[in-house]
Amino acid sequence: MKTTLAAGTLCLVVLVATGFPFERKGASPSGGAAKEKRVQYAAWDDVNVIAHGLLQLGQGLKEHVDKTKVQMRDITAKLKVFNRTVTEMGKESQRLRAVGEALKARAHGLEDREGQLLNVTAELREKAEEMQQERRTMSERISRLEERVDSMLQGDALLPDANTAGARNISDARNIQLMLESQNRRIDDLMERIRLQQEKLDKQNVRIRTLQSQIQQRQRTPARSSNDSAQSGAPEQRDSPVETALDCHELFLRGETTSGIYTIQPINAEPFNVYCEMTTDGGWTVIQRRQDGSVDFDQLWQAYEEGFGRLNGEFWLGLEKIHSIAKDGGYILNIKLSDWGDDVVSLSLPFQLGGEETKYSLQIPEVGTFSTLESSLGTDATSGLPFSTRDQDNDQKNDTNCAKHLSGGWWFSNCGRSNLNGRYFQSPPPKQRHQRKQGIFWKTWRGRYYPLKSSVMMIAPAVIENKS
């Protein structure tokens, strides 16, 4: 910048010098005619004054440029500060965006908790009503007992001679009670012996079948040539097929310990493939699995009767196949459930499944009192629950088709306790309650409006439960 200003100043000096010519001193007077023709030049002092002014102008320009540089540096510093501020604001906006996402996730979690709280509130209200009813019943019973005691005391006061008869009646009642208790103990002992004997018979039966299959395998020899047959004179033997197991537990007793797909053949049924879950206690035949929503379970009656899906993924084994395995009773149903927090629960119920003539009615005998977890299915199935689909309405609710109102096929009572064949919802579930009630739910675990993550249903002989 300084070089440019100096060059400009010199140019101005040259231009001024050439623009203001000056008169030379010592010119001869004889050249009068020539003097008129010569160019008149400015005085040297004038040139110095102009040059001095130009230098002052250049100095002013230099100071102005220096001030401009200072201002530019200030502006550059302010721009750097502005850029840092913009960067910090960008980071802050990203942080606020992350906080917003976290708040959204927390809001979804709060909505889920609100749904759970609503379910728990409804359950507590129902339990409170049940407890009030039981309290009223107990109060009535206590009142009747008090009346009886009062009447007995009055009778004793009026009839002193009846004390001996009352004592005799009490003694007889105690004797009868002791006899009944003794008889019950004997019955329990007999039932335990029968159970142990049945278990031994089952094991013997399995061993016999295993020996028969081994014998049949040993009888499988390569086909002999016709010359050898002629020389020996023995008739040619045919290969006998190995007897197929009745269920997965029989395969376990034969030595199979790896979970996977096997072929079984129940009594009076055609052979078919199943998925066997092998545990340390025995083999379980899987009849249903939900895990990723890859299979649509909103199927019609025929599909639920025959089965659908893939045995290595999501599937329903089929009502007819399940009936062929467990039609004679003596089986237990094991159900495993998991939620989106990866919490897992399981329950086991003895059951019996009727045939097509009963609409594949599920019957669960009441052995003692059902737990809270078991009550979602066991309470309604003590007298038998027929299976329902949207084209076969067999539920206990007269004005509603539960399978159509919810989704899938299930042993519905009044649409509200359980449905493991409903729609599969990925997390987070839909916000509308009328959609969430169509999902996979188990009311006494996570509530009516909580779609579960997975479910597995398996069956096995009751001997597994006795062993465990």
Side-chain angles (χ1 to χ4, degrees), residues 253-311:
L253 294 176
R254 292 184 182 183
E256 299 291 347
T257 57
T258 304
S259 299
I261 298 175
Y262 295 89
T263 301
I264 65 171
Q265 185 176 11
I267 299 174
N268 298 327
E270 295 294 326
F272 54 87
N273 290 336
V274 295
Y275 189 93
C276 295
E277 185 72 25
M278 300 300 186
T279 65
T280 56
D281 297 324
W284 292 84
T285 305
V286 182
I287 64 172
Q288 184 253 31
R289 184 188 292 121
R290 306 294 303 276
Q291 60 187 12
D292 54 17
S294 59
V295 176
D296 183 11
F297 272 65
D298 191 17
Q299 302 284 340
L300 300 179
W301 178 266
Q302 184 177 357
Y304 271 100
E305 187 175 32
E306 296 175 356
F308 54 86
R310 297 175 292 104
L311 292 176

Side-chain angles (χ1 to χ4, degrees), residues 5 35 40 48 75 112 144 172 227 231 312-313 318 359 420 427 437 450 464:
L5 288 173
K35 185 185 296 185
Q40 297 295 325
N48 288 333
I75 292 172
D112 293 338
R144 288 196 296 268
D172 292 340
N227 294 332
Q231 290 176 2
N312 279 326
K359 303 298 181 182
L420 299 185
S427 182
K437 70 181 180 182
Y450 184 97
I464 288 184

Side-chain angles (χ1 to χ4, degrees), residues 26-33 35:
S28 61
S30 61
K35 185 185 296 185

Side-chain angles (χ1 to χ4, degrees), residues 18-32:
T18 57
F20 297 93
F22 57 89
E23 183 180 358
R24 293 182 180 179
K25 294 181 179 181
S28 61
S30 61

Side-chain angles (χ1 to χ4, degrees), residues 199-238:
E199 184 177 347
K200 291 180 181 179
L201 289 174
D202 292 339
K203 290 181 180 179
Q204 290 293 335
N205 190 19
V206 171
R207 289 176 182 175
I208 291 171
R209 290 180 181 178
T210 304
L211 290 173
Q212 288 177 348
S213 64
Q214 291 176 356
I215 292 171
Q216 290 170 357
Q217 287 178 350
R218 289 177 181 176
Q219 288 177 351
R220 288 184 173 183
T221 55
R224 293 174 295 178
S225 63
S226 57
N227 294 332
D228 294 339
S229 299
Q231 290 176 2
S232 62
E236 200 170 347
Q237 293 182 352
R238 294 182 179 180

